[in-house]
Amino acid sequence: MKGKNVYLREFKIDDWHDVHAYASLEQVCRYQTWGPNNENDSQNYVKQAIADARKCPRTRFAFAIALKNRERVVGAAELVIDSANSSGTIGYIVHPDYWGRGVATEAATCLIDDGFNRLKLHRIWATCDSRNIASAKVLKKVGMQQEGRLRDHLRLSDGWRDSFVFGLLEDERSRL
């Protein structure tokens, strides 16, 4: 999948080095239930993404985010399918060297386009930590509406996290 400046591709086993470059950073994991990763954690993430790509039917689409004309992985983007409800959940993570450059926005747009166009989903949704203003801006920028707030939704290392819930329906996407 390609955006203007980024593309999403399947993970390769040696991508774990690039994944570790961002997943081992405290600032990247601040709003996540995982991390900071050690090398084994990063290797296992990539191995699991590769294994999930081979499953049939496939329900987890975990992609490496790379810049056009470069192989280096600068982040990851995922779409997890709930086929019973024709819906999918998206998520993304980007190396801080690439924050503020539209990488997450392009990756989320690619996931949404794929979810609606190829996978024929009815609804795509996402959550983000209520303190993560940058991620909430990305979700709004790609056309999602904030639908609510889940209080004490996830336990992080520093306590409970409230999560904002964002969603987009297939007929809303066609009007954007």
Side-chain angles (χ1 to χ4, degrees), residues 1-174:
M1 288 179 276
K2 294 186 180 186
K4 182 179 177 186
N5 298 302
V6 303
Y7 67 98
L8 307 185
R9 64 166 174 78
E10 299 291 351
F11 277 102
K12 297 182 285 191
I13 196 67
D14 44 342
D15 286 334
W16 78 266
H17 296 282
D18 290 340
V19 168
H20 191 66
Y22 63 81
S24 63
L25 301 174
E26 180 70 38
Q27 63 191 21
V28 171
C29 307
R30 173 178 33 210
Y31 303 121
Q32 305 301 325
T33 57
W34 53 267
N37 282 6
N38 59 41
E39 288 186 354
N40 192 50
D41 294 329
S42 297
Q43 290 169 357
N44 287 336
Y45 171 79
V46 171
K47 287 176 186 175
Q48 187 61 56
I50 291 168
D52 289 342
R54 294 181 181 133
K55 290 182 179 176
C56 189
R58 186 173 181 182
T59 58
R60 179 177 177 238
F61 297 82
F63 298 108
I65 304 173
L67 301 178
K68 280 202 173 169
N69 304 318
R70 296 180 63 188
E71 270 300 297
R72 182 169 180 238
V73 174
V74 300
E78 293 193 11
L79 172 63
V80 179
I81 305 300
D82 173 3
S83 57
N85 292 299
S86 190
S87 70
T89 309
I90 64 167
Y92 44 81
I93 198 96
V94 177
H95 192 292
D97 288 352
Y98 300 92
W99 287 355
R101 297 185 186 187
V103 172
T105 301
E106 283 194 48
T109 298
C110 288
L111 293 174
I112 290 168
D113 289 346
D114 193 50
F116 287 135
N117 298 334
R118 185 176 63 85
L119 299 171
K120 305 299 183 201
L121 298 177
H122 172 69
R123 171 174 162 54
I124 296 177
W125 63 285
T127 64
C128 72
D129 190 298
S130 61
R131 300 166 294 177
N132 192 342
I133 293 165
S135 189
K137 284 182 180 178
V138 166
L139 296 170
K140 289 175 185 174
K141 191 182 268 188
V142 299
M144 291 188 154
Q145 295 179 35
Q146 185 174 340
E147 299 177 334
R149 178 186 198 123
L150 301 172
R151 297 178 307 139
D152 284 358
H153 177 227
L154 296 172
R155 187 184 306 221
L156 304 184
S157 61
D158 65 345
W160 287 98
R161 158 187 151 171
D162 284 5
S163 296
F164 288 143
V165 179
F166 290 84
L168 183 63
L169 302 176
E170 62 184 324
D171 65 329
E172 294 170 336
R173 181 62 173 173
S174 63

